[in-house]
Amino acid sequence: MGKVLLVGVDCSKCSDRALEYAANRAGTEDVKLVVVHVIDWSPYSFNTPQENEQRHKRREEELARAHAEIIDPIVDDLREKGVAARGVIRHGHPAETLNAVAEESGATSVIIGKTGSSRIKSQLFGSVANTLVQISKIPVTVVP
């Protein structure tokens, strides 16, 4: 089985650089890319049944829009360049979800961009990159 690289994208300049890095690696090796976008979502809220129905509908709409506007164009562009790629959209905590998709996909490595958040924010809340590096069982490359 060839290498499988998971690359997380979030429409930031950092994730664009991570995607470029991953695509370059895929172009020189027998590598498949799994491009993942995570819509930050928390299951911890109390809702009425009607609110839950609306929330579910909104989540489904978000998934469809994210595929059309984010993932599908990226995957199409990669395929045009001869890179084997597929896209995944999920709701959840970004680091935990990226880690779960990496395990499900049999990824051999994860590539993500370093966010531009402030040091204070990262120290108080942590960052996706820091959390993913801590919880991942496979190598994580953080692209500046």
Side-chain angles (χ1 to χ4, degrees), residues 47-62:
N47 294 319
T48 66
Q50 295 82 10
E51 289 170 328
N52 281 335
E53 184 177 319
Q54 290 173 353
R55 187 176 193 201
H56 177 73
K57 182 179 178 188
R58 192 171 56 247
R59 284 182 60 199
E60 294 301 315
E61 290 169 352
E62 287 175 343

Side-chain angles (χ1 to χ4, degrees), residues 3 5 14 18 20 24 35 41 44 58 63 70 80 84 89-90 105 107 120 123 125 127 130:
K3 290 183 182 179
L5 301 180
C14 286
E20 181 180 352
N24 288 338
V35 182
W41 178 78
Y44 304 109
R58 192 171 56 247
L63 289 170
I70 299 169
E80 285 177 16
I89 303 275
R90 295 276 175 86
S105 302
I120 292 173
Q123 288 173 350
F125 303 110
S127 73
N130 288 339

Side-chain angles (χ1 to χ4, degrees), residues 47-123:
N47 294 319
T48 66
Q50 295 82 10
E51 289 170 328
N52 281 335
E53 184 177 319
Q54 290 173 353
R55 187 176 193 201
H56 177 73
K57 182 179 178 188
R58 192 171 56 247
R59 284 182 60 199
E60 294 301 315
E61 290 169 352
E62 287 175 343
L63 289 170
R65 194 172 78 236
H67 261 290
E69 295 178 13
I70 299 169
I71 290 296
D72 292 345
I74 290 171
V75 170
D76 291 345
D77 184 53
L78 289 167
R79 288 179 180 163
E80 285 177 16
K81 294 176 181 175
V83 176
R86 70 180 181 91
V88 176
I89 303 275
R90 295 276 175 86
H91 277 97
H93 179 275
E96 292 171 3
T97 304
L98 288 171
N99 190 53
V101 174
E103 289 180 9
E104 292 166 16
S105 302
T108 53
S109 182
V110 177
I111 300 169
I112 57 171
K114 180 184 179 299
T115 63
S117 63
S118 71
R119 285 186 186 197
I120 292 173
K121 182 179 176 185
S122 291
Q123 288 173 350

Side-chain angles (χ1 to χ4, degrees), residues 13-44:
K13 290 180 181 179
C14 286
S15 78
D16 290 345
R17 289 190 295 272
L19 180 62
E20 181 180 352
Y21 175 83
N24 288 338
R25 282 194 57 196
T28 60
E29 303 174 26
D30 180 25
V31 174
K32 294 179 181 157
L33 291 184
V34 177
V35 182
V36 181
H37 178 75
V38 179
I39 301 169
D40 202 2
W41 178 78
S42 172
Y44 304 109

Side-chain angles (χ1 to χ4, degrees), residues 4 7 23 41 126:
V4 176
V7 59
W41 178 78

